[in-house]
Amino acid sequence: EKLGLNVFGIIPRIPFADEDAKMPRKRLVTTLHAHSPVVEAFRALRTNLNFLIAKEKHKVIMVTSSLPGEGKSTISGNLAVVLSQTGARVLLIGCDLRRPQLFDMFGVKNEPGLVNLLMDSDQDAIRHLSEPRLDFLPAGSIPPNPAEILDSNRMACLLYTSDAADE
């Protein structure tokens, strides 16, 4: 309230048992427990975001926070799943270029990924997943300069044009 910011949804704490923390796929609660309160919270967030961006030409949603370990990967992975469950085309891009985790959650290799696509135009970097049904671009090779890569013209083109890989 003090900052004057809107709240689009509140996701309750996702209870991880000790053994679940060692199994990254279990962090995708939206694929495991269809009617839990956590999944319903993700669906409510999806509804609110869809309402806000319905008329936007480029529908880009960024999940971020100020500190490591606050749940960015868990939130973005589960949000991508519930968005894809409506039949929407979803491309989840793993932009954590320091300690990527999304690739583990989806059970795919990290390379090639975003860095490889931006640096080498490696078109094999995008994975077309069938369960959940969405496209996924993992972070890829760990670069020495993550901030510069994310702030590059190629990254902007990837986010805002359909032919970004050709530029």
Side-chain angles (χ1 to χ4, degrees):
E1 287 179 22
K2 290 182 182 189
L3 295 175
L5 300 174
N6 295 322
V7 175
F8 302 122
I10 297 174
I11 306 298
R13 185 164 193 76
I14 300 171
F16 292 121
D18 289 334
E19 63 272 5
D20 288 352
K22 297 174 187 168
M23 300 176 68
R25 286 197 57 90
K26 288 196 173 187
R27 289 171 51 198
L28 284 176
V29 294
T30 49
T31 64
L32 300 174
H33 310 289
H35 300 292
S36 73
V38 173
V39 177
E40 290 301 325
F42 275 107
R43 288 187 184 123
L45 176 59
R46 172 190 66 199
T47 300
N48 290 337
L49 290 173
N50 279 335
F51 177 76
L52 289 167
I53 65 173
K55 295 179 183 173
E56 299 293 324
K57 181 178 178 186
H58 298 289
K59 295 174 173 76
V60 177
I61 300 169
M62 180 176 77
V63 176
T64 189
S65 73
S66 57
L67 297 172
E70 291 185 328
K72 296 175 288 291
S73 296
T74 301
I75 297 296
S76 58
N78 282 287
L79 182 57
V81 169
V82 296
L83 286 167
S84 72
Q85 289 171 344
T86 66
R89 290 182 57 200
V90 174
L91 171 61
L92 173 61
I93 303 175
C95 293
D96 185 343
L97 303 185
R98 290 190 173 96
R99 288 189 311 256
Q101 297 179 25
L102 280 170
F103 72 98
D104 271 341
M105 289 173 60
F106 287 95
V108 299
K109 293 181 180 179
N110 191 38
E111 294 180 26
L114 174 64
V115 173
N116 309 93
L117 178 66
L118 295 176
M119 298 293 107
D120 308 325
S121 297
D122 190 338
Q123 298 298 309
D124 292 329
I126 297 177
R127 316 301 197 287
H128 306 286
L129 306 179
S130 58
E131 192 55 42
R133 190 173 178 81
L134 58 87
D135 294 331
F136 173 53
L137 179 58
S141 304
I142 306 295
N145 55 346
E148 288 82 1
I149 289 174
L150 295 175
D151 192 36
S152 69
N153 286 336
R154 290 186 66 109
M155 183 68 179
C157 287
L158 174 68
L159 293 176
Y160 298 109
T161 64
S162 60
D163 57 348
D166 297 333
E167 296 183 11

